[in-house]
Structures are given as C-alpha cells and as structure tokens.
Amino acid sequence: MFALIGTAVDCGSARKNIAVIVENGFIRDVIPRKRVGEYAVDEVYGGDGYIILPGLVNAHTHTAMSKFRGLGEDVPIERWLSDVIWPAELEWEPGDVRRWALLGMAEALANGSTTINDHYFFADEIAKAAQEVGIRAFIGQTVMDTIDFPIAAPEEGFRFFKDWVGKDELVTPTLAPHATNTVSLELMREIGEFARGRNALIHVHLSQSMGEVLEVKRRYGLSPVEYLKRAGVLGDNLIGVHGIYLSDSEVSLYAKSGAALVHCSLSMAKLEGRIAPIIELFERGTNIALGNDSPNPVGLMDMFTEMRFAAVLNKVWRRRTDVASAREVFRWATVGGAKALGLRAGLIKPGYLADLVLINARKAQFLPGENPHSHVVYSARGSDVELVMVNGEIVYRNGLFTKLGKRMEELWAEFRPS
C-alpha cells in the first residue's frame, strides 16, 4: 500500500494537503494528509510542494516514429507523408520498431503519460515494448488497402487484435484503419462488422488534410464523416483523430454520433497551419481527448506542452479568449481520453485506476500556487514529473524506469548515433 501526498488536482477540483491511498492497482481512498496514519502504508511519496495528478491519457500516438524526429521539417502533410515518412517506414524491420517504440513510450511516460493509444505497423513489437516499460497501452495495427503498402496488410490488423485480446492486463488491442482516404469503404465496413462483434475500439485518422477530403469526395461523393457513417463505424466505439477540415454539417453529425475526437493541436498546426473545430465539437457535446501524435513532427512526447498549445491555439484560431480554459483542456487530457478508451481513470477518486503522476512543484513557475489548474496547463513541464504510477505500480521515479532498470541517460546512450 502506497500513499502520495500533496495537492491533488483533477479536472473537478484541487485539494491541498491530501493523501491518496493506493492498493491493488486502484485508489483506495483520498483523505486529509493528517489521517494517513490510519492506513498501513508501506511507502509515502511527495509532501509539501508536490502536486498529484491523474495520469495523462495520450490518446493518439505513433511512438516508434521517435526514429524520424527531425526529418521532413516545414513541409505540408501530404509531402511529409509521401516524400519522407512513408518511404522511411517501408524500410522498417520489426526489431527496430520495438526499440524505437520503447524509446517513445519511455519519453511519454517520463513526461506524465500513463496511457497511450498507439496506431502503427508491427503492432506485436509495440505491444512487447509496452510490456517492457510498463505503460498502459491501447495498440492497433495500421491497415490500408487503397495504396500499395505491404506492412499495412488488412489481415494483419485482424490477426493482431485476435492474438492480443485478453493477453495482458495493460495492453488492449484496437482496430486501426489508417484514414478515410487510404481505406476503402468495403474494408471499413468489414472493420466495423468485426468491431461490433467484439466490442472493439476503432482508431482512425479523419480529415487530416484537404487531399484526404477531396479524395473521399471524388471516390464516393461523400465527406469523410459521411463516409464513416456509410461504412457503419460512426458511433461511440470510434476514436477519430485530427478532424481539421470538418465542415459545420460534419461537426453536427459527428457530435450526435457519440464518437470521440482526439485533438493534436501541435502536429496539425505544424503540418497544415491550422487546427480542428474543437470548440464547436466540444460545445455540441463531442468527447474531446488530447494526443501528442508522434515525435515527428511534434518533436517531443510531452502532454504538458500539448495542453498548453491546445489552450492557446484554440484561443488564437477562434479569436476568443473565453474558450479552451485550463480546466477544460486538462479534462480533455485526462477524463476525455479515459472516456474515449473506456477506462475508469482520469479522476482522483476511490475506485479509480491508480494511474497517477507526482509533480515536484517546488519551483518558481508554480508560485504563488493559488490556481493549480492554470499552473498544470500553463506552467508545468514534463521535466517536473518525479514519479509515475501505472496500475498501482511505480514505473518511473527520479529518472529511473523501474521495470527496465534503466535511467533516461542510459537509454540516450543506447540510441545515440555512433
């Protein structure tokens, strides 16, 4: 049994001098600090000047793309994909995917992400890397059929899902059609039928480029959201990503469907120079989650940075300062992601998963400390994370990845160019 002590901050409240009691993978109790002696606690972490957060849910990632960090900078998304990323991905070997995914997960974990939702090739290797580092991982094998891409064979997506269902407590397989323009209507329908029979999540890129929108329109006479509806996958088990070119009618249709939308503000601002109609989606009832996307193009797997940019860019894009408040954005990064993935997580409450983060807030940027939600979104950095707990187990503490038995400096030495 553990106790974390500090100011407990979730999207619902900020409570000072709190002890969070953890037992058997769950939060057993949340009590005033002075009562911690009532429990037979083995270890106590934190104390004065610490902030306890629910683990951040990184709801859209491509962790293995840490290998491509810095490639193809400052070009539009279609050139970035066709000229830089896809040629590089066709050179992947399974073992390399595992190594680089582990590095990406370690980076995300050290920066406070307790859960990732990964969408990539050689998904078996990514799942093994997740087991090694101890992160909670939803993983889908990327599939495509409208372009020739051998490592995205549709049968591999179904095979991966079947092989990993129920195999590991922390690894959950999903279905991962690449995008509305790279997956035929026939294959998307097949994925929907497969998902319905197994209560599976479908994780798909949606309206991430104007080229995608135009191709779906040319091929089917439909918008991307209409395509998803026609395929029978537009519902509450769908996790769409990006959505930057959604029309107003698509926003309404999407919001009514119960599907979640993952906002990756940094990657789309960098690749397309715009962001999604998140405020309109949110105001119409869509569940919004946040994701880092990948180390390329974003540059780092830090959800604190993602929260900060989501808050600021939505204000700039809408020319309104009363949208994307710190508390709302923090909700997207915790409860929003947890809801999308079907997790009882994202809040610091008894009975919730003990996926928790301890922030060392004994630093200038956290003073005067009167608005913790603002400090978490606008002041905190991934480097402020001191301890990360997943499923009640400490998997990162003071630079050490406890399941790996390695420090970040050791991983850096393993991966640096010779």
Side-chain angles (χ1 to χ4, degrees), residues 4-63:
L4 302 183
I5 290 177
T7 298
V9 181
D10 60 22
C11 65
S13 66
R15 294 161 286 176
K16 295 183 178 181
N17 293 314
I18 290 295
V20 179
I21 309 298
V22 173
E23 185 177 35
N24 297 327
F26 291 90
I27 297 173
R28 176 172 170 177
D29 211 345
V30 182
I31 58 175
R33 174 181 180 175
K34 62 186 178 182
R35 290 180 49 205
V36 72
E38 297 175 12
Y39 291 84
V41 170
D42 300 305
E43 299 286 346
V44 175
Y45 301 98
D48 292 337
Y50 280 84
I51 295 174
I52 308 161
L53 301 178
L56 303 176
V57 179
N58 208 334
H60 178 66
T61 63
H62 308 287
T63 50

Side-chain angles (χ1 to χ4, degrees), residues 32-296:
R33 174 181 180 175
K34 62 186 178 182
R35 290 180 49 205
V36 72
E38 297 175 12
Y39 291 84
V41 170
D42 300 305
E43 299 286 346
V44 175
Y45 301 98
D48 292 337
Y50 280 84
I51 295 174
I52 308 161
L53 301 178
L56 303 176
V57 179
N58 208 334
H60 178 66
T61 63
H62 308 287
T63 50
M65 288 178 68
S66 55
K67 184 179 182 182
F68 305 145
R69 199 184 324 248
L71 298 183
E73 296 288 8
D74 306 317
V75 296
I77 188 170
E78 288 171 343
R79 283 180 51 201
W80 177 78
L81 277 172
S82 62
D83 297 349
V84 180
I85 299 302
W86 282 349
E89 288 174 336
L90 288 172
E91 299 297 319
W92 274 123
E93 294 293 334
D96 285 337
V97 169
R98 182 171 175 174
R99 290 182 68 246
W100 288 97
L102 186 145
L103 183 66
M105 290 177 196
E107 181 185 357
L109 195 69
N111 287 322
S113 292
T114 54
T115 299
I116 60 167
N117 185 27
D118 211 74
H119 191 303
Y120 211 56
F121 313 104
F122 298 107
D124 295 282
E125 302 302 321
I126 296 169
K128 293 171 187 173
Q131 290 177 316
E132 287 183 70
V133 78
I135 200 167
R136 191 181 299 280
F138 289 73
I139 300 169
Q141 165 70 27
T142 302
V143 299
M144 297 185 262
D145 70 338
T146 66
I147 63 172
D148 183 19
F149 215 79
I151 61 175
E155 58 270 19
E156 273 299 288
F158 298 123
R159 194 273 312 157
F160 171 76
F161 185 94
K162 292 174 184 176
D163 285 356
W164 281 85
V165 158
K167 187 173 183 178
D168 188 282
E169 185 178 9
L170 294 183
V171 175
T172 301
T174 67
L175 299 168
H178 177 259
T180 63
N181 63 323
T182 54
V183 174
S184 69
L185 188 60
E186 294 73 22
L187 176 56
M188 192 66 80
R189 281 176 173 149
E190 185 180 356
I191 289 169
E193 291 169 3
F194 184 94
R196 280 189 291 278
R198 296 163 177 82
N199 196 30
L201 293 172
I202 300 172
H203 180 192
V204 62
H205 298 95
L206 168 65
S207 196
Q208 66 177 339
S209 72
M210 183 51 68
E212 175 189 347
V213 175
L214 294 175
E215 179 60 22
V216 174
K217 185 72 172 179
R218 182 196 66 80
R219 194 181 293 159
Y220 303 111
L222 302 169
S223 71
V225 174
E226 290 169 337
Y227 158 94
L228 293 174
K229 184 177 181 180
R230 178 79 60 87
V233 300
L234 186 61
D236 57 12
N237 69 327
L238 181 77
I239 301 173
V241 185
H242 302 315
I244 61 172
Y245 289 102
L246 295 183
S247 66
D248 189 65
S249 62
E250 285 181 285
V251 167
S252 294
L253 181 59
Y254 200 86
K256 291 174 184 175
S257 73
L261 196 288
V262 184
H263 185 32
C264 303
S265 63
L266 266 171
S267 65
M268 289 297 98
K270 187 175 178 185
L271 287 172
E272 283 289 273
R274 59 187 295 145
I275 62 172
I278 290 301
I279 302 307
E280 290 80 357
L281 285 159
F282 183 60
E283 289 176 346
R284 296 183 202 183
T286 303
N287 178 41
I288 304 298
L290 289 188
N292 269 151
D293 207 344
S294 71
N296 179 333

